[in-house]
């Protein structure tokens, strides 16, 4: 319990630090959001409009920064992330609410699939250590993992999507469809998700497979495995019940942490495939210097990463008793 | 002007864009294009700028309103064409000045209905202006800075009373988009209202919205009977320039406004029979000089700089030739009726580094043994050239110009900034030189007024509204004031000539290339687009003038 308490305090401090930095950093930048908005219109906007935009954004009233900070904290407590500037007058939480489900669906599902496939292949590789399967898979995965992601994504987009027309090249669903829960819409969404999802799985599965293989091989060399073998326990049982449980530990941490990053979206994937997720939204926000939206998304991401880390800590302490009681002995 | 699209998506994903265009270029011709059947029921697919997903906003006062809000739904009182410098009465049919050009009377066109079937009248116009007075955040044209009152003596007449004679006010007043009083009088906060069920007078009305695509359908109450010929409009959301480029090349987009390197290969070549572009040349992109700062406060220095830069090289190297070399006079070719031939020929347009050096030497500049150019005060002539970091074409433009200036011994350095920081420096006058869009309007008066009027500037350190170069001239102020006080075309023409002469003699700032109207269109499904041969409106789907294109195109 003391271990968990320490962790919780750590996470609270980290979170407060994050939101504070999140508040002050954009305000240290020169210029104001109204000027940044002028950029979007590239000289096309009447110069006199700047005044009206500043009034709309409330920039004409000069509020001391500490008051602004307190207001910001107050708003956060109410779950109010403010108003987007690039999408003014849309609210930041509304925009995040629209984008987040797509990211969770695409990146979340892809990460889970990639993790499961990677762990299975990694275990088999370790089991067949040095064999043909292992040699091939290790080489192949080192290759896919080392490959620049955007290259794979563009190649898939161009070959499979553009040239062969097997899958759609952009969006989360066909633009002429209205989102409903009908079978045809769900099918359409899945069709649109396959290509981006494949590219994520293709480039990330190697990480899990190679890691799982290596940790399993190390574990297989442990004395208790030799002991188990000596007792005549089947290899399959050793792999699943003895070595596997230990070998998967570091991967669980890795997985929990990557779940946190899922919320941030796979920025490159979403941009290449025009997928309307959070990564895409962040990209647009950065381009348009939309500070409230950037703040909102970064806060959601940092919160998820911290939360996922916390879950990893808890899981770890459950799976590994040494962590739980280590300090007392 | 019109650089919305290309200016985005140039930072982080420039690699992606480049890679995508290379891959397209490799395959060249032979893309399957969209099936031609069912064209009659298909909406016109338009991409104005890439945006990952849409958030509903059809508030005509909002600068963030979704594309199509202005022009396709809400209409101006008068349509202005920036390329040709002409205008056309729209919701009005006729106007006149009186009371020493302090009173503007508009005759509201009869028989116009809002899309909910109620009649459009002068009262709606007056209501709209009163709303802008009550909520200054809605007053994007800043009309209440010069407007004293507005009234509707009868349902077909609007009378504006101005604080002083102000001919230029016509543009600011009549480009406003009126809203229906019956609807907007009930809105609690019109500033943050996103207007989810727009009621307007234009040819289209909202059919349905999703964050990936929204559709506009024909407005049955539209006042130009029989128009539009097309059944509707579709505005899909694409994340980036490169995804728009792919969609354009596959024929999935009918009308786009995209800056793409090598448009011939990436777009036209993918369907040479139908894919076209017309990048009309508009108000110039400037090299702003800080005229309040030594040595730029000397007109000869500014003239010399104008001779020292190679505009053709800038156009070819930075802008792929799409934005052509500007004349130093700054009046775009479409507005040639305003151009004074003498001023045009005297303008320091031609690349001539020798002449530049001679002019500089004539005012006391010298070269030292190392080839550096020394200012009359004996210090080396060095300057920073500001540019917006993600605008890769501008960075290239400025790099070319810096090279030209270094060739004559000026220590010119490129300084890249983010937009807000860059704009703040321009406004406050904390720069030496900077590339930037000029401010302009439907005729050269606006360009000169924004750039030369001392009322549009401010001391260094304070915010200037448009005259970033901080040019001040009693003559300019006088000509501009006289021009703005007369509705006599001959007097105006004489003053315009004087302004042009003054411009080329003092070069308040340096026009470099013309700003392009980015505009790609496909004749696969629709024909009748504006072309250089038939320039009936400004090309490109950016401004309210897009309405004329939408009214003229027909399904095949």
């Amino acid at each position: 319990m003391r271990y968990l308490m320490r962790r919780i305090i750590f996470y609270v401090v980290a979170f407060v630090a994050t939101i504070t930095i999140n508040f002050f950093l954009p305000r240290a930048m020169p210029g104001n959001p109204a000027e940044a908005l002028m950029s979007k219109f590239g000289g096309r906007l009447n110069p006199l409009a700047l005044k009206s935009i500043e009034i709309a954004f409330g920039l004409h009233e000069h509020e001391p920064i500490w008051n602004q900070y307190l207001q910001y904290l107050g708003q956060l407590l109410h779950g109010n992330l403010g108003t987007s500037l690039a999408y003014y007058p849309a609210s930041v939480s509304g925009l995040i609410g629209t984008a987040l489900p797509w990211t969770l669906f695409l990146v979340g599902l892809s990460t889970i699939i990639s993790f499961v496939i990677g762990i299975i292949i990694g275990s088999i590789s370790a089991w067949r250590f040095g064999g043909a399967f292992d040699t091939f898979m290790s080489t192949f995965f080192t290759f896919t993992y080392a490959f620049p992601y955007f290259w794979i994504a563009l190649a898939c987009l161009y070959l499979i999507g553009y040239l062969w027309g097997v899958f759609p090249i952009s969006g989360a669903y066909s633009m002429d469809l209205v989102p409903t829960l009908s079978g045809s819409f769900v099918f359409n969404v899945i069709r649109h998700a396959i290509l981006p999802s494949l590219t994520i799985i293709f480039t990330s599965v190697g990480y899990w497979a190679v890691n799982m293989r290596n940790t399993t091989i190390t574990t297989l060399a442990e004395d208790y495995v030799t002991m188990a073998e000596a007792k005549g326990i089947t290899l399959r049982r050793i792999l699943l019940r003895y070595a596997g449980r230990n070998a998967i530990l570091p991967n669980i941490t890795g997985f929990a942490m990557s779940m946190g990053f899922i919320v941030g979206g796979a920025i490159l994937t979403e941009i290449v495939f025009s997928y309307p997720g959070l990564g895409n939204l962040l990209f647009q926000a950065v381009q348009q210097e939309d500070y409230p939206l950037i703040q909102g998304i970064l806060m959601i991401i940092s919160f998820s990463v911290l939360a996922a880390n916390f879950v990893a800590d808890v899981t770890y302490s459950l799976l590994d008793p040494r962590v739980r009681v280590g300090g007392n002995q | 002007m019109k650089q919305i699209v290309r200016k985005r998506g140039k930072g982080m994903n420039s690699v992606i864009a480049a890679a995508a265009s290379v891959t397209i270029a490799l395959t060249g011709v032979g893309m399957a294009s969209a099936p031609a059947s069912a064209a009659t029921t298909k909406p016109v697919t338009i991409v104005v700028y890439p945006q990952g997903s849409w958030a509903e906003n059809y508030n005509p006062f909002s600068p963030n309103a979704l594309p199509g809000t202005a022009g396709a739904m809400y209409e101006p009182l008068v349509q202005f064409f920036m390329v040709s410098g002409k205008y056309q009465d729209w919701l009005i049919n006729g106007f006149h000045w009186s009371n020493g050009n302090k009173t503007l009377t508009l005759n509201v066109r009869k028989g116009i209905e809002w899309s909910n079937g109620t009649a459009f009248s002068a009262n709606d116009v007056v209501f709209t202006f009163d709303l802008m007075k009550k909520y200054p955040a809605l007053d994007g044209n800043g009309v209440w800075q010069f407007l004293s009152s507005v009234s509707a003596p009868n349902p077909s007449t609007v009378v504006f009373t101005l604080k002083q004679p102000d001919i230029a006010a016509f543009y600011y007043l009549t480009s406003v988009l009126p809203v229906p009083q019956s609807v907007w009088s009930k809105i609690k906060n019109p500033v943050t209202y996103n207007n989810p069920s727009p009621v307007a007078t234009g040819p289209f009305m909202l059919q349905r919205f999703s964050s990936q695509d929204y559709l506009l359908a024909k407005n049955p109450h539209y006042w130009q009977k029989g128009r539009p010929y097309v059944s509707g409009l579709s505005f899909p959301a694409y994340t980036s320039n490169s995804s728009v480029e792919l969609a354009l090349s596959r024929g999935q987009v009918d009308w786009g406004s995209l800056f793409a390197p090598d448009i011939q290969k990436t777009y036209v070549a993918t369907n040479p029979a139908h894919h076209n572009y017309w990048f009309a040349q508009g108000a110039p992109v400037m090299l702003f000089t800080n005229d309040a700062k030594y040595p730029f406060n000397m007109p000869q220095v500014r003239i010399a700089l104008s001779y020292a830069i190679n505009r053709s090289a800038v156009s070819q190297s930075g802008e792929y030739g799409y934005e052509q070399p500007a004349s130093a006079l700054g009046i775009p070719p479409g507005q040639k009726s305003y151009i004074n031939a003498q001023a045009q020929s005297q303008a320091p347009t031609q690349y001539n580094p020798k002449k530049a050096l001679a002019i500089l030497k004539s005012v006391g500049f010298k070269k030292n043994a190392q080839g550096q150019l020394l200012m009359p005060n004996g210090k080396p002539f060095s300057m920073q050239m500001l540019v917006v970091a993600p605008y890769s074409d501008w960075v290239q433009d400025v790099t070319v110009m810096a090279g030209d200036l270094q060739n004559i011994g000026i220590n010119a350095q490129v300084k890249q900034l983010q937009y807000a920081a860059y704009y703040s420096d321009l406004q406050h006058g904390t720069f030496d030189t900077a590339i930037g869009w000029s401010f302009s309007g439907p005729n050269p008066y606006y360009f000169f007024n924004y750039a030369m009027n001392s009322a549009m500037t401010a001391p260094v350190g304070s915010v200037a509204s448009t005259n970033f170069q901080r040019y001040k001239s009693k003559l300019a102020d006088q000509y501009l004031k006289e021009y703005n006080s007369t509705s006599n075309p001959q007097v105006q023409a004489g003053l315009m000539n004087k302004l042009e002469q003054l411009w080329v003699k003092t070069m308040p700032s340096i026009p470099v290339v013309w700003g392009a109207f980015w505009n790609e269109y496909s004749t696969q499904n629709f024909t009748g687009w504006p072309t250089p041969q038939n320039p009936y409106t400004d090309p490109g789907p950016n401004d309210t003038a897009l309405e004329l294109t939408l009214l003229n195109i027909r399904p095949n």
Side-chain angles (χ1 to χ4, degrees):
Chain A
M1 270 331 276
R2 256 183 64 191
Y3 166 77
L4 275 184
M5 279 311 291
R6 273 210 319 267
R7 298 312 294 166
I8 289 172
I9 292 169
F10 166 78
Y11 285 118
V12 169
V13 171
F15 188 64
V16 171
T18 314
I19 56 179
T20 307
I21 294 171
N22 216 347
F23 172 82
F24 284 102
L25 217 50
R27 281 165 180 78
M29 305 276 286
N32 74 36
E35 286 160 3
L37 185 67
M38 295 287 281
S39 160
K40 183 176 163 185
F41 297 94
R44 200 170 52 86
L45 207 59
N46 185 326
L48 304 167
L50 184 61
K51 211 170 202 168
S52 67
I53 300 171
E54 285 181 343
I55 297 172
F57 288 177
L59 298 168
H60 59 303
E61 289 157 359
H62 293 283
E63 197 67 55
I65 192 132
W66 286 110
N67 288 3
Q68 289 182 35
Y69 181 61
L70 291 178
Q71 280 175 10
Y72 164 78
L73 290 183
Q75 284 177 350
L76 280 188
L77 284 178
H78 293 94
N80 177 357
L81 298 177
T83 308
S84 159
L85 304 178
Y87 296 81
Y88 186 88
S91 75
V92 169
S93 22
L95 289 168
I96 292 177
T98 320
L100 192 57
W102 293 114
T103 291
L104 291 180
F105 166 69
L106 176 70
V107 190
L109 218 55
S110 305
T111 307
I112 293 172
I113 293 174
S114 166
F115 178 75
V116 171
I117 296 178
I119 293 300
I120 293 173
I121 294 180
S123 311
I124 299 175
S125 279
W127 188 19
R128 301 279 167 86
F129 177 51
F133 180 82
D134 177 42
T135 314
F136 173 74
M137 279 300 170
S138 310
T139 321
F140 180 71
F141 283 137
T142 314
F143 174 74
T144 60
Y145 181 57
F147 231 87
Y149 173 76
F150 75 89
W151 198 94
I152 294 278
L154 282 173
C156 287
L157 174 74
Y158 179 65
L159 282 178
I160 307 176
Y162 183 81
L163 216 51
W164 303 335
V166 183
F167 293 110
I169 55 173
S170 72
Y173 50 87
S174 291
M175 291 178 175
D176 50 356
L177 288 186
V178 183
T180 51
L181 267 179
S182 68
S184 63
F185 181 74
V186 171
F187 178 72
N188 192 279
V189 166
I190 292 172
R191 244 176 74 80
H192 277 77
I194 289 177
L195 203 50
S197 171
L198 274 181
T199 62
I200 298 178
I201 295 173
F202 185 75
T203 48
S204 65
V205 69
Y207 173 81
W208 304 118
V210 170
N211 260 357
M212 185 63 190
R213 171 184 174 274
N214 293 348
T215 48
T216 311
I217 288 171
T218 321
T219 322
L220 283 177
E222 294 278 343
D223 289 344
Y224 67 86
V225 176
T226 320
M227 174 68 181
E229 279 179 47
K231 283 203 291 188
I233 299 172
T234 59
L235 205 54
R236 187 187 150 84
R237 192 175 157 81
I238 293 175
L239 199 68
L240 291 179
R241 305 295 298 271
Y242 288 65
R245 271 185 66 178
N246 279 314
I248 208 168
L249 273 177
N251 287 309
I252 290 284
T253 327
F255 179 68
M257 283 173 73
S258 75
M259 288 311 278
F261 284 106
I262 284 169
V263 173
I267 293 188
L268 282 173
T269 317
E270 294 182 6
I271 290 167
V272 171
F273 295 97
S274 285
Y275 209 81
L278 210 58
N280 204 336
L281 193 66
L282 178 61
F283 178 66
Q284 305 267 341
V286 169
Q287 279 194 323
Q288 300 179 23
E289 301 182 40
D290 184 347
Y291 295 128
L293 189 52
I294 298 173
Q295 282 177 357
I297 297 174
L298 289 183
M299 209 194 70
I300 296 285
I301 294 175
S302 36
F303 181 77
S304 323
V305 172
L306 290 175
N309 268 289
F310 180 68
V311 171
D313 277 345
V314 174
T315 320
Y316 216 88
S317 73
L318 289 179
L319 289 179
D320 190 345
R322 285 169 300 184
V323 176
R324 234 176 310 167
V325 291
N328 299 336
Q329 303 213 324
Chain B
M1 302 185 90
K2 311 294 164 191
Q3 326 221 340
I4 304 175
V5 171
R6 67 139 161 185
K7 294 309 179 194
R8 299 142 108 263
K10 282 227 170 167
M12 222 184 285
N13 70 345
S14 59
V15 184
I16 302 170
S21 36
V22 167
T23 42
I24 299 168
L26 284 175
T27 53
V29 213
M31 294 308 128
S33 27
S37 62
T40 44
T41 54
K42 257 184 74 174
V44 186
T45 305
I46 304 173
V47 179
V48 181
Y49 51 80
Q51 178 95 305
S53 60
W54 301 119
E56 229 171 359
N57 179 5
Y58 317 101
N59 183 335
F61 298 107
S62 166
N64 271 332
L66 290 182
T69 302
M73 293 196 281
Y74 291 90
E75 301 180 284
L77 296 164
V78 173
Q79 290 276 13
F80 291 89
F81 309 108
M82 303 295 163
V83 173
S84 62
K86 294 179 177 143
Y87 62 85
Q88 187 177 339
D89 286 354
W90 207 252
L91 293 182
I92 62 169
N93 54 357
F95 66 93
H96 65 268
W97 287 98
S98 58
N99 184 23
N101 297 326
K102 276 172 74 177
T103 301
L104 174 66
T105 308
L106 308 179
N107 309 322
V108 172
R109 197 182 284 277
K110 293 200 174 82
I112 297 178
E113 284 180 355
W114 295 102
S115 50
N116 63 4
T118 57
F120 165 75
S121 82
N123 295 325
D124 292 310
V125 179
V126 172
F127 169 79
T128 303
F129 280 90
D130 285 341
L131 201 63
M132 286 154 58
K133 188 180 188 181
K134 193 171 166 198
Y135 299 96
L138 304 180
D139 189 2
N141 282 358
V143 298
W144 284 102
Q145 290 165 32
F146 55 78
L147 190 59
S148 143
S149 71
V150 56
S151 64
N154 62 59
S156 59
T157 309
V158 179
V159 178
F160 294 105
T161 311
L162 311 182
K163 291 177 180 160
Q164 55 192 21
D166 193 350
I167 298 295
F170 178 67
Y171 166 55
Y172 300 123
L173 291 171
T174 59
S175 56
V176 163
L177 309 168
V179 295
Q181 179 171 14
S182 58
V183 176
W184 283 75
S185 56
K186 297 181 189 108
I187 306 303
K188 256 195 200 146
N189 185 352
V191 178
T192 54
Y193 184 55
N194 71 350
N195 195 17
S197 20
V199 173
T201 56
F204 297 93
M205 53 197 279
L206 184 65
Q207 183 180 1
R208 65 155 205 257
F209 172 87
S210 86
S211 64
Q212 289 297 282
D213 188 19
Y214 58 94
L215 291 179
L216 307 186
K218 262 191 201 188
N219 170 10
H221 296 277
Y222 187 53
W223 53 279
Q224 296 195 36
K225 294 303 166 206
R227 305 258 189 124
Y229 309 124
V230 296
S231 63
L233 312 176
S234 161
F235 294 87
Y238 288 98
T239 317
S240 60
N241 272 13
S242 45
S243 55
V244 179
E245 215 174 297
L246 279 181
L248 271 166
S249 69
R250 295 192 76 179
Q252 291 172 345
V253 174
D254 296 304
W255 196 15
S257 180
L258 176 80
F259 169 78
D262 210 352
I263 195 82
Q264 192 66 36
K265 222 184 235 169
T266 56
Y267 181 58
V268 179
T270 55
N271 186 350
H274 292 295
H275 288 182
N276 299 287
Y277 69 94
W278 174 32
F279 296 158
Q281 307 290 300
V285 172
M286 310 289 289
L287 180 66
F288 291 118
T289 49
N290 191 339
D291 302 354
K293 197 170 175 181
Y294 182 82
F296 307 104
N297 57 352
M298 294 187 266
Q300 293 88 345
V301 171
R302 306 193 295 256
I303 293 171
L305 291 180
S306 182
Y307 276 123
I309 56 173
N310 185 344
R311 292 178 170 81
S312 310
V314 171
S315 165
Q316 284 306 322
S317 165
E319 307 292 347
Y320 305 86
Y322 302 146
E323 299 198 319
Q324 286 156 19
S327 91
L329 178 59
I331 303 179
Q335 304 185 1
K336 54 179 176 289
S337 60
Y338 290 94
I339 296 175
N340 174 277
Q342 203 191 349
Q344 179 90 313
S345 65
Q346 284 172 352
T349 307
Q350 288 305 316
Y351 175 52
N352 192 341
K354 274 188 194 143
K355 193 164 184 180
L357 259 185
I359 294 171
L360 287 172
K361 284 182 176 164
S362 76
V363 290
F365 283 74
K366 287 189 205 60
K367 275 212 174 177
N368 68 7
Q370 290 84 43
Q372 284 177 312
L373 198 62
L374 302 180
M375 298 191 284
N377 67 5
K379 289 184 185 146
F381 187 3
S382 60
M383 63 168 165
Q384 282 189 332
M385 308 179 81
L386 288 195
V387 63
V388 184
Y391 297 6
S392 56
D393 56 333
W394 277 11
V395 173
Q396 182 59 22
D397 293 353
V398 172
T399 308
V400 170
M401 289 191 277
D404 291 338
L405 298 177
Q406 283 156 7
N407 283 343
I408 61 166
I410 301 171
N411 177 19
Q413 299 297 334
V414 177
K415 185 180 177 189
Q416 303 192 22
L417 286 176
Q418 287 299 310
Y419 190 87
Y422 151 91
Y423 202 72
S424 171
D425 275 352
L426 281 186
Q427 286 182 313
H428 290 90
T430 46
F431 67 99
D432 297 335
T433 63
I435 191 171
W437 292 296
S438 55
F439 293 107
S440 64
N443 71 52
Y445 164 80
Y446 295 87
F447 171 72
F448 289 132
N449 188 46
Y450 286 140
M452 297 167 96
N453 195 332
S454 63
M456 297 292 190
T457 194
V460 169
S462 309
V463 171
S465 62
T466 62
N467 183 350
F468 296 149
Q469 51 268 23
R470 290 166 159 77
Y471 177 84
K472 275 186 182 172
S473 148
K474 288 211 170 85
L475 266 184
D477 288 348
Q478 184 199 325
Y479 295 155
L480 289 166
K481 192 173 178 200
E482 286 176 21
Y483 186 100
N484 201 19
S485 318
T486 178
S487 42
N488 180 332
Q490 267 152 2
V491 180
Q492 282 188 337
L495 287 161
M496 181 60 75
N497 287 346
K498 285 183 183 168
L499 280 168
E500 293 177 23
Q501 300 282 355
L502 184 62
W503 178 274
V504 298
K505 275 184 201 136
T506 57
M507 289 306 294
S509 241
I510 304 166
V512 181
V513 290
W514 302 121
F517 287 66
W518 305 112
N519 168 51
E520 298 88 11
Y521 60 95
S522 166
T523 53
Q524 180 84 47
N525 302 317
F526 305 96
T527 51
W529 304 94
T531 61
Q533 292 75 37
N534 182 17
Y536 60 83
T537 184
D538 285 349
N542 286 299
D543 285 304
T544 50
L546 95 148
E547 184 177 359
L548 281 95
T549 305
L550 297 177
L551 292 178
N552 280 285
I553 54 172
R554 304 169 173 270
N556 283 345

